[in-house]
């Protein structure tokens, strides 16, 4: 990085550290923090969308849709999320490859041969010839879907609770005005629901932040992967030899997460205040009383 | 090999009895059910012990957080922020790396050598992390409940001449438990589910003995078929969670037995913590 870093063995103290911390592999470590933030930014809206769908399905008048919503929302109840993190990516990957096998391959051989899952070369995802970044992007794509499915179930649970918490009288009034069910949903139920959903959703955001190290299990090169790679003891064969420093790398990650949760708590507190304005709740009442006349 | 034979060989494998080697062929349903169920022993071990120790610690931390003394309140707040604000996964890694740094030969305390090498084993180190983690979350719940103990209850205790420890033991603490119990049930379920993280943390799985998820991923890796092993593990977890909810519901009924009609079924509301 810096010009004086050309010969690492001649460096001492802070200068050595400044060179050590700016190596190319360290840059990839710093970039992986970006990966985590990117995953959060992509997953949160998609999970919210999944949750919205689940909650609407749970309120549906069509019985099979309602059953689906029920199963989906109660998923968070009994099953550890990590099982889904392991299951969903493999299942999706095999599903995609199976579909491509049916379309692209002309062999009649079954995909599942005993204990092996065999598809022809053209059906592989991503293709063997694809660039490395495609493999990375595909891994992240699967991770995003897995996170969205799991956190969508959490969100569906929160949102269905919030929809049930909207005072029934509000909906009946809307019906009395002659609104169709669709209009009631869009104009009364959904705008009113947010204040009830927010405590749950902010909690969900915190859980989502704290679930991101699990990316490492899904095979994405995230901060945990790099912390273990870089922190492990480096012998004299490396340009910057050092003993086992994994503890310090993990402490750095810990500080990052503590900062993330601290700042999220701040922001969510402000949003809660903003949303409870004018609502018939304790929070709204406190705001009304505190407001200058 | 009959299924009964499989159960005899593998049912207690995860705690060291029975066959030493994992099955290498066949992978029939019976083997998968037996071994994944066998791994569940570890999940239950972690959950039960962490919940028991964590419960005691959480009460102490919650009281410290509510204390007027700055030197008690500060550390309690810090402890809660540290363990609630960071991922459990990272806590596992840090604990493992920190415990590895302890001297291998043990620490000399006044002539007696304290062994330290066992702390890097999953069964001990991971249990410590899980205990501290659940203590932090539960302390937050208990503190919230302590703050919402009705003023009238405390005044009534005062009127009867109860003070200090008697008042706390007879009035404040039972009320606090009663108010905290539904949220604490959720926390217990989350902790139980979090026990699956242990064998993906830095702590080693000794001699291929692992928890339910360890065996489930073993089978899924060998058979390239996630559609059998993981649903089995999920099924076991659903059953165990139902048992947990039932047990906590019994306690809830007992805590609310003086309030006619108040001891309704615990509504499971996830996301209240964690």
């Amino acid at each position: 990085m810096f010009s004086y870093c050309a010969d690492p063995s001649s460096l001492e103290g802070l200068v050595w550290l400044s060179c050590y911390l700016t190596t190319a592999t360290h840059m990839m470590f710093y970039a992986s923090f970006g990966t985590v933030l990117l995953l959060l930014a992509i997953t949160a809206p998609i999970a919210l969308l999944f949750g919205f769908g689940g909650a609407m399905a749970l309120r549906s008048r069509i019985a099979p849709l309602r059953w689906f919503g029920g199963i989906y929302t109660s998923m968070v109840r009994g099953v550890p999320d990590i099982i889904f993190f392991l299951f969903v990516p493999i299942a999706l990957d095999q599903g995609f490859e199976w579909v491509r096998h049916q379309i692209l391959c002309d062999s009649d051989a079954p995909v599942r041969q005993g204990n092996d899952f065999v598809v022809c070369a053209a059906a592989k995802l991503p293709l063997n010839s694809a660039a490395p970044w495609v493999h990375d992007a595909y891994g992240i794509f699967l991770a995003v879907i897995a996170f969205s499915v799991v956190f969508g179930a959490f969100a569906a649970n929160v949102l269905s609770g919030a929809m049930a918490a909207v005072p029934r009288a509000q909906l009946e009034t809307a019906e009395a005005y002659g609104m169709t069910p669709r209009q009631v949903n869009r104009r009364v139920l959904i705008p009113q629901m947010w204040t009830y959903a927010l405590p749950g959703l902010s909690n969900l955001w915190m859980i989502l932040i704290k679930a991101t190290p699990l990316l490492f299990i899904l095979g994405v090169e995230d901060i945990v992967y790099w912390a273990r790679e870089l922190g492990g003891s480096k012998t004299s064969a490396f340009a910057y030899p050092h003993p086992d420093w994994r503890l310090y790398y993990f402490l750095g990650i810990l500080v990052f997460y503590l900062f993330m949760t601290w700042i999220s708590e701040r922001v969510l507190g402000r949003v809660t205040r903003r949303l409870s304005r004018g609502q018939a709740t304790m929070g709204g009442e406190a705001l009304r009383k505190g407001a200058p006349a | 090999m009959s299924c009964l034979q499989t159960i005899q060989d593998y049912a207690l494998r995860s705690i060291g009895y029975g066959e030493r080697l994992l099955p290498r062929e066949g992978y029939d349903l019976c083997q998968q059910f037996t071994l994944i169920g066998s791994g569940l022993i570890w999940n239950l071990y972690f959950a039960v012990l962490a919940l028991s120790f964590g419960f005691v610690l959480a009460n102490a931390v919650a009281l410290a957080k509510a204390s007027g003394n700055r030197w008690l309140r500060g550390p309690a707040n810090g402890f809660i922020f540290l363990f609630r604000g960071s991922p459990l996964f990272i806590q596992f890694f840090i604990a493992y790396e920190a415990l590895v740094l302890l001297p291998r030969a043990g620490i000399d305390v006044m002539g007696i050598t304290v062994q330290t090498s066992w702390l890097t084993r999953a069964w001990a180190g991971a249990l410590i992390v899980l205990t501290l983690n659940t203590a932090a979350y539960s302390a937050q719940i208990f503190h919230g409940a302590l703050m919402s103990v009705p003023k009238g209850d405390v005044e009534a205790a005062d009127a009867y001449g109860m003070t200090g420890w008697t008042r706390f033991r007879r009035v404040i603490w039972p009320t606090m438990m009663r108010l905290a119990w539904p949220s604490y049930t959720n926390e217990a379920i989350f902790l139980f589910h979090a026990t699956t993280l242990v064998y993906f943390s830095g702590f080693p799985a000794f001699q291929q003995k692992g928890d339910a998820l360890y065996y489930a991923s073993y089978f899924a890796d060998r058979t390239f078929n996630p559609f059998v092993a993981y649903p089995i593990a999920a099924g076991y977890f659903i059953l165990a969670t139902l048992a947990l909810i039932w047990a906590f519901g019994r306690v809830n009924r007992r805590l609310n037995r003086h309030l006619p009609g108040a001891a309704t079924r615990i509504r499971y509301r996830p996301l209240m913590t964690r």
Side-chain angles (χ1 to χ4, degrees):
Chain A
M1 183 89 185
F2 302 113
S3 56
Y4 56 79
C5 295
D7 182 15
S9 56
S10 66
L11 300 171
E12 288 286 333
L14 280 179
V15 182
W16 182 90
L17 196 67
S18 74
C19 287
Y20 170 71
L21 289 178
T22 49
T23 55
T25 40
H26 271 87
M27 288 302 156
M28 292 169 91
F29 173 54
Y30 303 140
S32 64
F33 284 93
T35 311
V36 169
L37 294 178
L38 184 73
L39 181 95
L40 282 173
I42 297 174
T43 309
I46 297 180
L48 202 60
L49 218 61
F50 273 46
F52 208 79
M56 291 309 273
L58 196 61
R59 290 175 72 84
S60 165
R61 290 179 186 186
I62 307 155
L65 209 57
R66 204 165 54 233
W67 296 333
F68 168 76
I71 292 171
Y72 186 51
T73 49
S74 56
M75 201 174 94
V76 292
R77 218 166 283 219
V79 184
D81 45 3
I82 187 166
I83 289 188
F84 284 100
F85 288 137
L86 290 176
F87 173 78
V88 173
I90 309 180
L92 273 180
D93 191 34
Q94 290 195 354
F96 291 147
E97 290 195 342
W98 185 83
V99 169
R100 282 167 65 90
H101 180 87
Q102 302 299 323
I103 298 169
L104 297 174
C105 305
D106 46 3
S107 73
D108 287 333
V111 172
R112 222 171 251 301
Q113 299 169 4
N115 281 333
D116 290 328
F117 186 84
V118 187
V119 291
C120 64
K124 282 260 187 336
L125 251 184
L127 291 172
N128 284 335
S129 57
W133 72 265
V134 177
H135 287 264
D136 288 347
Y138 184 65
I140 292 177
F141 166 73
L142 288 182
V144 165
I145 300 285
F147 270 69
S148 300
V149 167
V150 172
F151 283 90
F154 278 92
N157 212 333
V158 171
L159 291 179
S160 72
M163 285 177 185
V166 173
R168 183 79 197 111
Q170 304 267 10
L171 307 182
E172 275 164 8
T173 312
E175 277 160 15
Y177 272 106
M179 291 190 191
T180 60
R182 192 180 288 263
Q183 281 175 325
V184 173
N185 270 345
R186 208 181 65 235
R187 294 193 186 165
V188 181
L189 180 70
I190 293 170
Q192 295 235 10
M193 149 192 104
W194 294 110
T195 183
Y196 302 101
L198 199 69
L201 286 182
S202 52
N203 215 330
L204 191 54
W205 170 250
M206 296 295 198
I207 306 177
L208 182 61
I209 291 177
K210 285 182 269 173
T212 45
L214 297 176
L215 272 178
F216 157 73
I217 293 174
L218 300 183
V220 178
E221 291 181 358
D222 75 329
I223 46 182
V224 177
Y225 169 83
W226 284 113
R228 283 160 68 120
E229 283 288 299
L230 294 168
S233 58
K234 296 263 189 290
T235 57
S236 54
F238 290 88
Y240 297 92
H242 66 71
D244 191 340
W245 281 357
R246 276 179 292 187
L247 181 60
Y248 305 108
Y249 279 92
F250 280 119
L251 284 176
I253 294 178
L254 182 79
V255 171
F256 167 72
Y257 277 108
L258 288 178
F259 177 72
M260 287 284 288
T261 45
W262 179 77
I263 204 127
S264 301
E265 261 172 18
R266 287 286 158 110
V267 172
L268 290 169
R270 291 184 76 108
V271 175
T272 311
R273 255 179 79 83
R274 178 77 186 71
L275 274 187
S276 54
R277 197 183 287 170
Q279 291 281 350
T281 55
M282 294 268 285
E285 187 67 9
L287 274 183
R288 192 182 64 80
K289 281 190 180 142
Chain B
M1 194 162 60
S2 73
C3 191
L4 199 66
Q5 184 66 38
T6 307
I7 291 174
Q8 274 173 3
D9 285 348
Y10 290 114
L12 293 176
R13 189 192 175 280
S14 65
I15 50 172
Y17 297 99
E19 288 283 316
R20 281 179 68 85
L21 293 173
L22 283 171
R24 290 184 174 279
E25 69 272 325
Y27 306 124
D28 55 356
L29 271 180
C30 181
Q31 279 181 353
Q32 305 205 14
F33 266 106
T34 311
L35 270 169
I36 294 171
S38 159
L40 205 67
I41 296 172
W42 278 110
N43 294 98
L44 292 175
Y45 159 83
F46 284 124
V48 170
L49 287 189
L51 278 175
S52 335
F53 296 143
F55 180 78
V56 178
L57 189 57
N59 272 297
V61 175
L63 290 182
K65 187 177 159 74
S67 146
N69 188 341
R70 201 148 56 89
W71 297 105
L72 282 175
R73 204 170 57 224
N77 277 327
F79 173 78
I80 292 175
F81 177 66
L82 182 68
F83 279 95
R84 288 183 80 224
S86 59
L88 180 58
F89 205 47
I90 300 296
Q91 290 166 20
F92 275 132
F93 277 118
I94 289 184
Y96 179 67
E97 300 298 340
L99 291 174
V100 166
L101 292 185
L102 290 174
R104 286 201 165 244
I107 306 170
D108 218 39
V109 183
M110 296 201 279
I112 303 161
T113 309
V114 180
Q115 290 296 322
T116 48
S117 55
W118 55 275
L119 281 170
T120 57
R121 291 253 170 267
W123 63 264
L127 180 63
I128 293 171
V129 176
L130 282 172
T131 304
L132 294 178
N133 190 274
T134 185
Y137 281 99
S138 315
Q140 183 72 11
I141 294 170
F142 290 157
H143 177 258
L146 185 63
M147 291 294 105
S148 47
V149 169
K151 211 168 76 179
D153 287 18
V154 184
E155 280 167 0
D158 284 337
Y160 274 103
M162 289 189 207
T163 51
W165 176 243
T166 318
R167 187 180 71 169
F168 177 75
R169 188 171 56 85
R170 290 210 177 153
V171 178
I172 298 178
W173 193 76
T175 313
M176 170 177 131
M177 279 300 120
R178 188 167 64 78
L179 296 175
W181 205 255
S183 312
Y184 187 62
T185 308
N186 295 329
E187 161 56 22
I189 294 169
F190 267 111
L191 180 87
F192 178 51
H193 289 178
T195 58
T196 47
L197 277 177
V198 171
Y199 281 92
F200 284 92
S201 63
F203 294 102
F206 191 54
Q207 286 181 348
Q208 287 195 317
K209 291 174 205 155
D211 67 337
L213 196 58
Y214 176 86
Y215 290 118
S217 60
Y218 175 84
F219 285 119
D221 286 350
R222 294 302 149 99
T223 59
F224 299 102
N225 187 357
F227 298 98
V228 177
Y230 289 128
I232 290 174
Y236 274 124
F237 271 97
I238 288 171
L239 288 182
T241 305
L242 287 177
L244 193 82
I245 291 177
W246 177 82
F248 273 70
R250 289 296 295 265
V251 176
N252 191 46
R253 278 234 296 280
R254 167 131 188 107
L255 285 170
N256 286 297
R257 67 192 183 283
H258 61 291
L259 298 172
T264 46
R265 218 156 51 85
I266 291 186
R267 294 268 312 282
Y268 179 60
R269 294 167 303 172
L271 310 172
M272 298 316 284
T273 61
R274 210 152 287 234

